[in-house]
Every structure is written in structure tokens, then in C-alpha cells.
Amino acid sequence: MKDDFVIGVLGGMGTYATIQLFKQYAEVFPAEKEWDRPRIVIDNRCTMPSRVLAYLKHIKEDELVEQMSDSMRHLIDTGATKILLACNTSHLFLPRIYENVPEAEERVVHIIRACVDRIRADGRKSVYLLGTEGTIDSHIYQDALAAEGIECLVPGQEEYTDLRECIEAVKQNKYTEEVKKLFLGLVNRYDACILGCTELPILYERYADEVTCGQIYDPLMIALKILKQTYDS
């Protein structure tokens, strides 16, 4: 029953990325009448500790896992049958969250796996990854892509500051010519690029006219399209 199809979103990581996800949801699920779309429940839990610091330095890691687990429980209690995490780095904590909330595992649409599946289906042999230093250093994308025989290229550590500046610009909704220059310099480097941080698609949308990269992969958009196929089936 379509009435039983409820999308839950663990958001707030950051808020503008969650707003972007909600906009994408409206685009992916076009409707003549509002009730033609599935229900969506968003927990914009912007009070959570940093995912990057929790992974890299174990700062407030237990607190983060508990808060994410709590949000998962609330989304499930609200009726969510499919769950999206609006943050790539947050997927690193899913094994611990599943220990706390086992029923979440069958509901989560893993955006990183979805993206890798799409890249494999496209027949790509290599792809460039942009994301937080936590996402890049964890090798969560690199390992998944390598398992499919796909090379994953990443920025050098000396460019992490530039990436952080781009991501923080979106989180703060403050854009400068310097941010534009940094983003275009990163995204236009290769002919296929994963926007592996949910802030980056906002920059892409903002500067799309000057993006020369031939193929952009937005993991959340890919996951939403998978949900649309499931909803329509």
C-alpha cells in the first residue's frame, strides 16, 4: 500500500543540506495533487555533535551515536518505512546504530552504496570524490568502489582546508567569490565527480553554469530516485 510508504529523514547535518533534500524530494516525486506524494518525516537534529570530529578524533562519539539512534527510533515510531541520512559521514556510524536499533537496518537506504551501484552501472572505471575529511579518510567510498574495480581519486590532504571552506559556506549560507573559485577548481578537475558531502550539491546548483565536469553524482538524489522506483512499483 502506498499509504504505508513513509520516508524518514535524519537531517540537520547541516540544515541547508536537509532543505536541499526536501526540495529534491518534491522534484523526484512530482504530483498534480499533494496526496500523490509519499509522506515524509524530517528530524532536523542540528544539535548533534560533529560527525567528522567524532570519527577522526572520537570527540563525543558515544553522544553522537546515541542521538542518531534516538532519532532513528523516533522516525520508526512515526511510521518511517524508508530512512535517509542526510549526511555522508554519518554513515560511518551505522554499524553502532544498528546495534542500538536493529530494526533500522532494513529501513535505511544507504546513499553511498546507492551511488557506487550507479557508478558501476554507468561502466565507469574511475571517479573523483569530494567530501569531508572524515568521509575521505575513512575510505568508505574508496573501498566500496575498489570492490567493484573502480578507481577512486581524492583531493590531497593539503586541499582539505579548501573543502572545509566550501562546506562551511553552505552551512552558514555565506557565499563569496573565493568559495566559488575553490569549488570550481575542485569539481572541474576530472570528468566524473561524486559530491560526497550533502552541502556540495548546493554549491553545484549555484555554480552549475560554470561546471565543466561531465558527470556529477549526487548520492542523495540517486537514493531518492531509488525510493521513487520503489514507490511506483
Side-chain angles (χ1 to χ4, degrees):
M1 291 286 292
K2 287 191 174 183
D3 289 345
D4 296 331
F5 191 96
V6 180
I7 301 171
V9 176
L10 177 46
M13 308 176 281
T15 297
Y16 285 101
T18 304
I19 293 170
Q20 174 76 0
L21 185 157
F22 191 48
K23 287 171 58 181
Q24 291 175 325
Y25 149 84
E27 294 166 5
V28 171
F29 292 89
E32 292 185 9
K33 302 293 184 181
E34 283 297 332
W35 52 80
D36 292 334
R37 292 190 174 96
R39 181 183 175 189
I40 183 168
V41 179
I42 299 175
D43 182 351
N44 195 67
R45 195 158 187 160
C46 48
T47 53
M48 287 188 293
S50 165
R51 280 66 57 199
V52 173
L53 292 178
Y55 177 76
L56 292 178
K57 300 182 181 298
H58 304 291
I59 296 175
K60 296 186 177 180
E61 182 179 357
D62 291 341
E63 180 181 339
L64 172 64
V65 169
E66 184 49 47
Q67 289 196 31
M68 290 181 67
S69 300
D70 182 65
S71 284
M72 290 284 198
R73 292 188 196 97
H74 281 297
L75 289 170
I76 292 169
D77 288 345
T78 307
T81 55
K82 301 291 182 181
I83 296 175
L84 292 172
L85 279 65
C87 167
N88 286 262
T89 310
S90 68
H91 286 67
L92 295 168
F93 304 98
L94 279 175
R96 289 190 61 188
I97 292 166
Y98 294 154
E99 291 177 4
N100 294 337
V101 193
E103 61 271 31
E105 187 166 5
E106 64 181 8
R107 292 172 167 83
V108 169
V109 179
H110 200 291
I111 68 172
I112 294 167
R113 292 178 191 156
C115 184
V116 170
D117 287 346
R118 169 68 184 277
I119 294 167
R120 183 195 65 236
D122 286 350
R124 293 215 165 261
K125 299 303 181 184
S126 68
V127 66
Y128 184 49
L129 170 66
L130 297 178
T132 67
E133 56 203 271
T135 295
I136 294 171
D137 285 354
S138 72
H139 281 240
I140 191 170
Y141 272 102
Q142 294 96 309
D143 291 346
L145 288 161
E148 302 294 342
I150 302 168
E151 180 186 19
C152 184
L153 306 165
V154 298
Q157 290 189 354
E158 71 279 3
E159 296 177 293
Y160 285 0
T161 300
D162 295 343
L163 275 165
R164 281 198 299 271
E165 189 169 340
C166 290
I167 292 166
E168 285 301 314
V170 177
K171 287 181 179 289
Q172 298 170 20
N173 197 32
K174 295 179 179 179
Y175 301 95
T176 64
E177 283 300 311
E178 178 63 18
V179 166
K180 176 182 176 180
K181 179 181 176 182
L182 290 174
F183 176 71
L184 291 174
L186 289 163
V187 77
N188 288 335
R189 189 166 297 173
Y190 296 98
D191 65 349
C193 181
I194 301 170
L195 301 180
C197 173
T198 49
E199 271 74 35
L200 295 178
I202 298 173
L203 287 175
Y204 169 70
E205 187 175 277
R206 189 178 186 92
Y207 305 125
D209 289 347
E210 297 178 63
V211 172
T212 58
C213 176
Q215 179 63 59
I216 296 292
Y217 291 98
D218 177 351
L220 266 179
M221 177 61 89
I222 292 168
L224 280 167
K225 289 179 178 179
I226 291 171
L227 287 178
K228 178 63 162 61
Q229 292 173 352
T230 303
Y231 184 68
D232 288 342
S233 62

